Amino acid sequence: MLVVRTSPITEVANVARLTESFEKQKNIGNPIYYILPSNKYLQEARKQKVGIAFKTFDDLADLILKKANINFFPVSESERTLFFQELITRDKSRFLETPEELRHKAKAYAETYGQLKRIGLTINDLPPQFKQMSDVFIEYETEWVEKQRLLDPENRIHQAVSLEHLDNINLGGIVIDGYLDFSTLQYMVINYFVSLGVDITIYLPFIEGAEIIEETKAQLRTIGFEIIEAEFPIKQTEPDIKVSSATTMEEEIYGILQEIAEKSEVVPLSKVGVLLADERSYLEKFVKLAKLQNIPIKRPQKKELKTSLLFQFIHQSILKHNGRFTSRWDSLDLIDSLLRLQFFTSFDYMTKKKAYVETGFLDEEMKEETDVYVAFRKTIPKKASLYSYIKDVKNLLESSRLTKTWKMQLLSESSTKKLQQIRNEWKVLEYIIDHLTKKLDMLASQGLKELQVHYHIFVEWLSEGLEKGAIYVERTPKHGIQLYTFRDIALFKGTDLYILGMNEGTFPKGHKLGGYFQESDLRKLPVPFAAPSSKLFRKKDDAFFRQLFLVSNSLSFSYVVGVDPHNPLLPSGFLEPWKSQTEERKYSSAARFAKAESLTKEDRVEKMAYHVGIGKQVSELPIELETMVTKLAQLEEGNEKVSLEWKQKLRKDKLSVTMLESYAMCPFKFALERILNIKEPLEKRATIDFRDTGSMLHTIIEKFYKQMNLVGQPFSTFTADMSEIAETTLMDIFEEEWTVVESRHLDFSKLQLSIEKEEWQKKLRKWWLAEKKHFWENKQLQTMHLFRLEEAIELDLLINDETTITLTGKIDRIDIDEQGFVIYDYKSGLASLNFDREVRPGLKLQLPLYLVAMENRLANGHYEIDLSSSFESLPGKITAHGASYISLRDPVKRAGNSVWREEHFEKNSPFSVNFRATKEETLESETFLAKYELKKRLSELWEGSSHDFSVKPLKCISSCLYKPVCRVTQDQIEAGEGEWK
C-alpha cells in the first residue's frame, strides 16, 4: 500500500501516529522504519515511543547494501574531497598549478562529482563542458569506490538503488513524516522501495498555499502513491506580528533576550522558542550571551574537540609540524602546548617556558617525553597505509605520560575550575583513542589495511574527523528556551516565537549548485526527480515561512540593519507586508544602555560604565568602577612623573649623548628601556639582529684600517700595492667577524645565513669603493689624515650658572688637515640630518655635539703631540669643515645626511658636498649651539630624564618593542610629530 496523507504540521510524529505504527509492527512481526527530517525530530520521537526504528534515508540505503552483503567503508563528503586531493597529488603532471591551486581544483572537482551524483546521474551523463573531468571521476570510482569500497553518501544511495530485486528484506513498512519535499536521491530511494513492494505511508504537512507541497504530491502520484486529502478547519485568529531591527547581531540577540527576561513572569521560558534563520552565524553568540544574561538554553553544553588543548597539541604541534627540529624554536610550539597540558601554576609554566626559550633547558622527564613526540614526527613516512598512520598515532597517545600526570594533578589540585579542565582533556583523549580504534576496526573489517595515502592527506582526514567531535560538559537544563531551525520548528509547542536573522540573502537564502554546475545545466540533463533549481528552493523557503503562522500566534521577527543609516542592510522580502511597522534600530547599544533595569550585576556595571564614558554624571558608582574611571583619566593624560626622592636618585651629571637622543624620542620608552631595564621579549628572529651587524661593521672598519696601517696617515700614503690587497684584507676580516655573528644566530638556516652574508659582502665592497673615491684616491684631499677611529670623547657643558653636565660618546672617524677637521659616523641603515626637525628637538645630537667636543679638544691642546708629528706647523685654530653620516646603503652620498661650512658648497669642493646638505656659515661651537638653542634643549632633556617619563613621543616607531604595553594615542603621536615642524 502506497499512501500519502495530509495532516496538521504540528502532528508530525505525534504519540497516536507512533503508537499506530508500533502496533502494526507487532502484528506484522517485522520492523517498520520511521523516517524523520532532522536529528531533533528523531530525538523527540525516541522520547515518545520506544521500540520503533527511527531512521533516515541514508539508513534505508545502508539497509539495502547490508541485505545484499555489500561491505563498504562509509566516508563523508569532506573525506571524498581529500581522496580527490590524493588522486591529484599522485599525478601532479595532470595540472601545472601550485599545491594550493591543486587543492582548490581538487575541491571543485569533488563538489562537481558530488553534485552530479546528487541529481541522480552518472559519469556517462556529464555535460560536454565537463568531459575533461571524466578521467579523474573514473579513476575515483575505480580506485576508491569499486576497489576500496569507500562509499560517500551519494554513492551509497546510487549503489543501493541500482541493485536488482532483493528477497527477504524483512521490512514491515516505511513511514515518512515531516518532510515538505524530497531531493532527487530521496525520491530514488522511495521509488526503489516501491519496486520492492514495501508498504509506504507518507505524511505531508498541510500548509495552505504552499506550492512545494502540491508539487510533492504530484511527483509521488506519478510513482504510484494514492493521495488522501483531509479537511482542516480554517484558522480564525490573526497572529500577533512584530518586526524589529538591530544595529548588530549582538544587539539583536541582547534585545531579544531582554524582552524574554522581562516577560518571563507572564510567559515562562518553556513557552518561548527561538528560531535562528542563520544558525551557523548566530548559534555560538546566542548561547554565549544567554549565559551572560543567566537565561538557560535547553541544549547540552558541549566542548568541541577542536577547542581542546589536546587536539591543538596533536594536530598543530605534532602532525602538522614540518618535521624539522634543527633548533629550539622549531620545538617551541610543541613544548608550549605540552607544558599547558601539564596544568602547572602560571608561575611554574612561565618559569619552565622561559628556561627553555633562553637556554633550551628542559627537566629530564619533560625532555624524554618531548623526544618521543619529536622522534615520532621525524620518522613518520611521507606515504604509507591509512591503517598504519592511525595505528601509530593511537599507540603514541596510549603510551604518553599525560594520564599519569593528570592523575597526580587530580589528587593534589583543589581548584574546581582546573579539575574540570583536566577532566575535559582526559575525556578528549578517551574520545580520540576511541575514534581511532573504530576507524582501525572498520578498515580491518573491510579489508582496507593496505589503503595507501600521502601523509598530508592523512592529517587532513584525521583533523576533519575529529573537528566534528565534542564531549559533554553539562546536561541539558530542565527548563529554558528551546532553539529551532526552519526544518524542525513544527516541534514548537509554546506561545511566543522569536525569529532572528531575517535579512535579505539569509532567508530566503541564495541557492548555488556544487562545483562547476550552473542551473542552466539542469535543463539539459535527464534529472529523474525534482531538479534542484533556485525556483524549487524558493518555494521550499516559502513553505518554511508559512508554517510559522501555524505553530504560534505570537511571532517576533528581527534582522540586522547595520550602523550606517545611509546604507542600511535590508530585511527579508518575506517581511515586506509588515515593513511599515518596523521599529528602526530598535535594538542598539544606546537603547540597551538607556534602560534603567538590569538583569544582572554585570549588566548594571556595564551600563554605568557606558554613561560615564559618554560624559554623564553617575551617582553611586561601584568602587572598582570608580577606581577605573580615576585611573583612566590619569592614563589619558599620559603623565608619568616620579617623586622628588626618586628624581634625586635618578639624576646623573654624566650621561651619554645617545641617552639624551633616546629620551627626546620617547620619554616613556626611555624609562622602560633604560630605567626599568625591561628586556626585549625573546622570539625567533626572521632577520639578523641589527645590533650585531652594527657592532660588526664598526669592528671591521677599525680592524681594516689598522691592518692596512692607514690610521694616523695622510691619504697620499695610499699606494697602488695597498689598493691591490685592500679588498682581500677587508673580506678576510669580514669572514672572521661574520663567524661571530653566525654564532649568535644558530637558529637561522644555512641558506638564510648564506644570503645575508652575500648581501654584507656586497655592502662592504660598495663601501670600500666609496671610501677610495672620496678619500684615498681623491687628489684634492691628499694632505688630509685619517686621524682617529672609534674615539671616545667627553664634553662638559655649562647648562646654567650652577650646573655643568658631562656628555660622553664615541666618534666613529675623525679626518684632519691643516685647515680643519671632519667627523664621520658609519651607519648600517639609512641616515638623515635635518637640523630643524631632528637636531633642534634633540633627536639627532651626535654629529653636532661631537663637532663641539672636537673643537674644544683641539683648542685646549689635547692632541698637540699627535698633530705635531703629523704636520710641520700647527695653525692657530683648527675649525670644523663639516660632519657626515656614511650609510652602507648608499656610502657615496653626502646629501641630507651631512652638514658643512658654506665654502665647501663650491663646485670643486674636495668633499663632494651635495647641494641638499645642510649649509652653515660657521661651525664654531658657541655660535653653532646658540643658533639651534641646543643648550636650552639639552637642559630640558637632562632635567626631564631623571623624573618625567610621560607618554609624549616626538618620534613613534611602528616596530617599537614596547607597543603591547604603551597607551600612546594617535593624537599624541601627531602632536609629537608636529611639535617641531
Side-chain angles (χ1 to χ4, degrees):
M1 184 172 67
L2 306 174
V3 180
V4 175
R5 301 179 184 276
T6 55
S7 69
I9 193 169
T10 54
E11 292 184 10
V12 175
N14 63 19
V15 175
R17 197 174 293 174
L18 295 176
T19 302
E20 181 185 343
S21 296
F22 183 68
E23 293 300 324
K24 183 179 178 181
Q25 178 178 270
K26 285 200 301 183
N27 293 333
I28 296 172
N30 286 323
I32 291 177
Y33 277 12
Y34 208 104
I35 313 301
L36 289 165
S38 73
N39 282 331
K40 186 167 283 189
Y41 271 115
L42 292 170
Q43 291 167 7
E44 292 297 321
R46 289 183 183 119
K47 292 177 186 175
Q48 295 186 58
K49 193 67 181 178
V50 178
I52 294 181
F54 295 104
K55 301 289 183 179
T56 65
F57 278 97
D58 287 339
D59 294 328
L60 291 177
D62 292 350
L63 171 70
I64 297 169
L65 294 172
K66 288 174 183 176
K67 290 292 182 182
N69 294 318
I70 294 176
N71 293 324
F72 64 92
F73 188 102
V75 296
S76 65
E77 292 182 17
S78 57
E79 288 172 322
R80 175 176 62 206
T81 300
L82 294 177
F83 297 148
F84 269 87
Q85 285 186 29
E86 176 68 18
L87 284 175
I88 292 175
T89 301
R90 290 179 184 178
D91 185 11
K92 293 182 180 178
S93 62
R94 181 176 287 145
F95 307 108
L96 300 176
E97 290 101 349
T98 63
E100 186 64 28
E101 289 171 332
L102 290 176
R103 281 194 288 271
H104 287 302
K105 181 87 74 171
K107 184 177 182 182
Y109 271 43
E111 290 179 349
T112 303
Y113 177 84
Q115 184 63 73
L116 179 73
K117 292 292 181 174
R118 282 194 293 277
I119 56 177
L121 303 179
T122 66
I123 298 174
N124 295 328
D125 300 310
L126 267 176
Q129 66 269 31
F130 298 158
K131 287 299 181 182
Q132 74 273 17
M133 303 183 195
S134 60
D135 289 344
V136 183
F137 291 173
I138 290 170
E139 190 174 356
Y140 170 71
E141 291 198 344
T142 303
E143 176 72 19
W144 301 94
V145 178
E146 296 172 11
K147 182 180 176 182
Q148 308 288 3
R149 307 306 300 158
L150 299 169
L151 300 187
D152 53 49
E154 290 80 8
N155 272 319
R156 293 206 291 276
I157 290 178
H158 273 266
Q159 295 223 0
V161 301
S162 67
L163 295 172
E164 295 183 3
H165 187 78
L166 287 177
D167 295 323
N168 303 321
I169 196 166
N170 298 327
L171 190 61
I174 298 173
V175 178
I176 303 174
D177 199 354
Y179 284 84
L180 305 182
D181 73 325
F182 302 101
S183 68
T184 306
L185 292 180
Q186 289 168 345
Y187 272 121
M188 289 168 63
V189 173
I190 293 171
N191 193 46
Y192 182 77
F193 277 96
V194 168
S195 71
L196 296 181
V198 177
D199 286 347
I200 304 175
T201 300
I202 298 176
Y203 291 98
L204 280 182
F206 173 76
I207 303 175
E208 189 176 1
E211 292 183 40
I212 191 75
I213 301 291
E214 298 306 315
E215 290 183 6
T216 303
K217 291 178 187 176
Q219 187 70 70
L220 291 171
R221 191 179 285 113
T222 63
I223 295 175
F225 281 83
E226 177 188 357
I227 311 299
I228 301 177
E229 301 280 5
E231 293 187 4
F232 303 99
I234 299 173
K235 194 173 182 180
Q236 301 294 328
T237 58
E238 286 293 325
D240 176 26
I241 308 296
K242 185 173 70 172
V243 181
S244 306
S245 63
T247 53
T248 65
M249 185 192 301
E250 287 78 5
E251 291 305 330
E252 180 185 10
I253 296 171
Y254 266 125
I256 296 300
L257 291 172
Q258 182 80 29
E259 286 192 19
I260 292 172
E262 290 172 353
K263 294 167 62 176
S264 59
E265 292 185 4
V266 180
V267 182
L269 296 182
S270 59
K271 295 293 183 181
V272 175
V274 171
L275 189 155
L276 304 176
D278 183 5
E279 189 177 40
R280 180 178 295 180
S281 300
Y282 274 76
L283 181 59
E284 185 177 346
K285 287 186 176 68
F286 191 92
V287 172
K288 180 181 178 181
L289 293 179
K291 187 174 183 179
L292 289 176
Q293 300 295 312
N294 293 331
I295 297 177
I297 304 294
K298 286 201 73 176
R299 59 183 291 117
Q301 185 180 338
K302 296 181 182 180
K303 180 180 178 65
E304 294 180 335
L305 254 65
K306 63 183 179 182
T307 64
S308 69
L309 292 174
L310 184 64
F311 175 83
Q312 294 168 21
F313 172 63
I314 296 167
H315 178 63
Q316 197 67 37
S317 304
I318 301 179
L319 297 181
K320 285 199 75 175
H321 195 283
N322 59 25
R324 295 188 295 272
F325 296 91
T326 56
S327 72
R328 65 179 183 272
W329 297 105
D330 294 331
S331 305
L332 182 58
D333 185 53
L334 189 154
I335 298 295
D336 178 62
S337 52
L338 188 56
L339 284 172
R340 286 187 287 136
L341 276 170
Q342 311 296 313
F343 294 98
F344 293 120
T345 63
S346 298
F347 178 78
D348 287 344
Y349 162 76
M350 291 303 298
T351 302
K352 291 176 183 292
K353 184 175 178 181
K354 183 173 182 288
Y356 177 75
V357 170
E358 290 180 345
T359 65
F361 172 79
L362 289 172
D363 60 61
E364 187 175 346
E365 190 172 338
M366 178 70 79
K367 187 176 186 309
E368 287 179 6
E369 189 170 4
T370 303
D371 288 344
V372 171
Y373 297 121
V374 169
F376 168 83
R377 180 61 190 91
K378 288 174 73 172
T379 57
I380 203 160
K382 291 183 178 179
K383 188 174 182 180
S385 69
L386 183 60
Y387 187 90
S388 66
Y389 279 140
I390 299 172
K391 188 175 181 181
D392 288 345
V393 174
K394 179 173 179 283
N395 291 340
L396 180 72
L397 294 177
E398 287 180 331
S399 62
S400 76
R401 300 178 181 175
L402 289 173
T403 53
K404 178 184 175 183
T405 303
W406 291 339
K407 191 177 291 184
M408 293 172 60
Q409 289 276 24
L410 289 172
L411 293 173
S412 61
E413 186 58 60
S414 58
S415 168
T416 305
K417 183 178 180 181
K418 187 167 283 189
L419 288 170
Q420 182 64 52
Q421 289 174 336
I422 296 170
R423 183 61 188 135
N424 287 342
E425 294 298 330
W426 202 323
K427 285 183 179 179
V428 169
L429 178 61
E430 291 172 345
Y431 182 102
I432 294 174
I433 292 176
D434 182 62
H435 175 84
L436 296 174
T437 303
K438 288 177 180 177
K439 292 296 182 182
L440 287 172
D441 292 343
M442 192 174 291
L443 285 169
S445 66
Q446 301 301 326
L448 296 174
K449 294 178 73 171
E450 301 306 317
L451 174 62
Q452 298 279 309
V453 294
H454 283 83
Y455 177 70
H456 74 273
I457 299 296
F458 159 71
V459 173
E460 291 188 46
W461 173 83
L462 181 61
S463 172
E464 181 71 33
L466 293 177
E467 280 184 348
K468 297 176 182 177
I471 59 168
Y472 281 91
V473 178
E474 289 183 14
R475 295 180 178 274
T476 304
K478 291 183 178 180
H479 304 287
I481 302 170
Q482 186 71 272
L483 300 182
Y484 298 93
T485 64
F486 280 105
R487 183 177 292 277
D488 51 41
I489 190 58
L491 288 168
F492 179 59
K493 306 300 181 187
T495 56
D496 290 45
L497 183 61
Y498 294 86
I499 305 95
L500 282 70
M502 288 292 288
N503 273 86
E504 182 181 69
T506 300
F507 187 83
K509 53 186 174 294
H511 173 67
K512 184 180 180 299
L513 295 173
Y516 293 114
F517 270 98
Q518 301 296 319
E519 191 161 323
S520 57
D521 297 323
L522 298 177
R523 295 191 288 271
K524 306 169 189 175
L525 294 170
V527 182
F529 303 100
S533 65
S534 56
K535 186 177 180 181
L536 181 142
F537 280 93
R538 179 59 186 258
K539 289 177 181 178
K540 187 171 183 176
D541 284 340
D542 176 68
F544 277 150
F545 187 74
R546 289 174 181 270
Q547 71 179 339
L548 300 177
F549 299 87
L550 302 174
V551 298
S552 177
N553 283 324
S554 177
L555 300 174
S556 177
F557 297 98
S558 58
Y559 67 98
V560 175
V561 69
V563 296
D564 185 353
H566 303 293
N567 297 285
L569 302 175
L570 301 176
S572 165
F574 284 117
L575 300 182
E576 188 66 29
W578 302 280
K579 190 174 181 180
S580 60
Q581 70 183 55
T582 304
E583 272 191 67
E584 288 300 325
R585 293 177 174 78
K586 178 185 178 184
Y587 302 131
S588 66
S589 299
R592 176 161 62 93
F593 291 135
K595 291 187 176 181
E597 304 83 9
S598 298
L599 295 177
T600 62
K601 179 184 177 182
E602 291 76 13
D603 185 32
R604 177 173 176 268
V605 172
E606 189 178 19
K607 286 177 178 176
M608 286 183 166
Y610 168 79
H611 286 93
V612 170
I614 60 176
K616 291 188 176 181
Q617 293 293 324
V618 180
S619 59
E620 299 180 4
L621 279 178
I623 295 175
E624 66 271 19
L625 198 56
E626 191 169 348
T627 303
M628 191 181 298
V629 170
T630 305
K631 188 64 177 175
L632 284 174
Q634 176 194 341
L635 294 175
E636 284 177 1
E637 293 176 358
N639 290 328
E640 292 289 352
K641 296 181 180 179
V642 300
S643 65
L644 180 61
E645 179 186 356
W646 272 104
K647 178 181 179 180
Q648 291 170 346
K649 288 181 180 180
L650 295 175
R651 170 164 285 182
K652 295 178 181 178
D653 292 336
K654 185 175 183 178
L655 63 168
S656 70
V657 175
T658 54
M659 282 183 68
L660 289 180
E661 288 180 336
S662 176
Y663 180 79
M665 180 185 291
C666 180
F668 185 71
K669 180 175 181 288
F670 175 87
L672 296 177
E673 193 172 46
R674 295 179 180 262
I675 305 297
L676 299 178
N677 293 316
I678 295 176
K679 303 299 182 184
E680 176 183 353
L682 285 172
E683 60 180 351
K684 186 176 182 180
R685 287 191 169 274
T687 58
I688 299 291
D689 193 329
F690 71 91
R691 290 165 297 192
D692 287 340
T693 53
S695 176
M696 175 191 73
L697 171 64
H698 288 82
T699 303
I700 290 173
I701 292 173
E702 185 178 13
K703 281 188 175 182
F704 170 72
Y705 278 129
K706 285 182 177 179
Q707 283 191 28
M708 293 293 294
N709 198 29
L710 291 172
V711 180
Q713 301 299 320
F715 296 164
S716 60
T717 59
F718 185 73
T719 65
D721 291 340
M722 288 182 176
S723 183
E724 286 184 8
I725 65 168
E727 187 172 308
T728 302
T729 303
L730 180 65
M731 289 300 108
D732 288 344
I733 295 169
F734 168 73
E735 290 290 345
E736 292 175 12
E737 295 305 315
W738 184 254
T739 58
V740 177
V741 173
E742 281 190 336
S743 68
R744 295 171 181 166
H745 295 82
L746 297 176
D747 297 333
F748 281 60
S749 67
K750 290 184 178 179
L751 175 61
Q752 190 173 1
L753 287 170
S754 175
I755 292 171
E756 290 277 359
K757 180 179 180 181
E758 189 175 332
E759 286 297 314
W760 269 98
Q761 286 172 329
K762 290 178 183 177
K763 287 179 182 179
L764 287 170
R765 288 190 179 102
K766 190 176 178 181
W767 166 80
W768 175 235
L769 289 174
E771 292 278 296
K772 285 197 297 182
K773 175 185 175 183
H774 275 300
F775 307 124
W776 305 103
E777 295 177 353
N778 187 343
K779 300 301 183 183
Q780 296 177 282
L781 289 178
Q782 291 300 291
T783 59
M784 181 159 268
H785 290 59
L786 171 52
F787 184 55
R788 286 285 193 274
L789 289 173
E790 301 295 324
E791 179 76 348
I793 57 97
E794 289 187 358
L795 174 63
D796 294 328
L797 276 180
L798 184 65
I799 294 297
N800 52 50
D801 294 337
E802 300 176 355
T803 307
T804 297
I805 63 172
T806 301
L807 301 177
T808 64
K810 185 178 285 187
I811 305 175
D812 291 350
R813 170 175 176 163
I814 307 166
D815 289 354
I816 198 165
D817 63 13
E818 293 181 345
Q819 285 76 43
F821 66 91
V822 185
I823 64 173
Y824 296 100
D825 197 6
Y826 290 108
K827 298 289 185 185
S828 57
L830 293 174
S832 62
L833 188 65
N834 186 296
F835 273 73
D836 286 321
R837 291 200 297 268
E838 294 177 320
V839 174
R840 193 186 294 273
L843 297 172
K844 295 283 181 72
L845 294 172
Q846 286 174 296
L847 290 185
L849 294 181
Y850 292 168
L851 283 172
V852 174
M854 270 304 297
E855 182 181 297
N856 289 353
R857 282 198 164 189
L858 289 166
N860 63 26
H862 184 84
Y863 298 113
E864 186 172 344
I865 296 174
D866 296 334
L867 292 175
S868 62
S869 63
S870 300
F871 301 104
E872 292 183 4
S873 61
L874 294 179
K877 186 175 184 182
I878 300 179
T879 59
H881 292 301
S884 177
Y885 288 115
I886 298 178
S887 167
L888 255 68
R889 293 196 183 184
D890 197 349
V892 177
K893 273 191 177 181
R894 298 291 186 271
N897 60 350
S898 59
V899 58
W900 302 89
R901 290 206 317 264
E902 60 181 3
E903 61 261 34
H904 296 304
F905 282 79
E906 297 174 1
K907 188 174 182 180
N908 296 322
S909 168
F911 298 106
S912 304
V913 176
N914 188 283
F915 71 94
R916 288 192 296 271
T918 300
K919 182 190 295 185
E920 293 292 339
E921 183 178 347
T922 177
L923 294 177
E924 191 274 326
S925 60
E926 289 302 321
T927 305
F928 194 51
L929 291 171
K931 180 177 179 179
Y932 294 103
E933 300 176 307
L934 285 182
K935 282 192 177 182
K936 178 184 176 184
R937 183 57 179 158
L938 290 169
S939 176
E940 292 170 354
L941 296 176
W942 170 74
E943 182 70 27
S945 65
S946 61
H947 80 285
D948 187 354
F949 308 113
S950 300
V951 184
K952 294 178 181 177
L954 292 183
K955 186 177 180 181
C956 196
I957 304 172
S958 59
S959 59
C960 178
L961 299 173
Y962 303 100
K963 268 192 176 295
V965 296
C966 182
R967 60 183 182 277
V968 68
T969 64
Q970 189 59 36
D971 289 342
Q972 289 169 328
I973 293 173
E974 291 173 1
E977 291 175 347
E979 185 176 346
W980 294 89
K981 283 186 178 179

